[in-house]
Amino acid sequence: MEPLDTDMDYQRRPSSRRSRLGMLFLFPIIGILIVVGFAAAGLFQIDISGMVNWLMGFMLLLFALLVIFLFWGMAPGSRKS
């Protein structure tokens, strides 16, 4: 039996502000998908009145996640070396 490769570094690397703020690109993508969905509903005359409550709850959830991600992304990094 061969020994396992233990040369890999399993230390957790601290995340930088840039990589944390990169997570915020999810929100414009989700917004574009919502606008495309509204455009498709208008173009093909799909009744979305039953989805209004769900969609408003989803948008409130997205707003709360945006605030949380902004605080997390703008947090100062640890200065430990």
Side-chain angles (χ1 to χ4, degrees):
M1 239 179 156
E2 295 181 21
L4 295 175
D5 183 19
T6 57
D7 293 339
M8 294 185 70
D9 184 20
Y10 293 106
Q11 298 289 330
R12 185 173 180 193
R13 287 183 277 142
S15 59
S16 67
R17 180 178 283 185
R18 180 178 218 155
S19 66
R20 289 187 310 231
L21 287 176
M23 291 290 293
L24 293 174
F25 283 121
L26 286 169
F27 294 102
I29 293 170
I30 293 171
I32 289 170
L33 289 175
I34 290 173
V35 168
V36 167
F38 282 148
L43 183 66
F44 298 114
Q45 297 183 358
I46 300 169
D47 183 26
I48 59 170
S49 61
M51 289 180 33
V52 172
N53 285 335
W54 178 85
L55 190 60
M56 289 304 297
F58 181 68
M59 292 176 88
L60 283 172
L61 175 69
L62 284 179
F63 177 73
L65 286 175
L66 176 68
V67 171
I68 290 169
F69 278 174
L70 279 173
F71 275 106
W72 174 67
M74 298 298 289
S78 64
R79 303 214 184 260
K80 295 178 184 176
S81 296

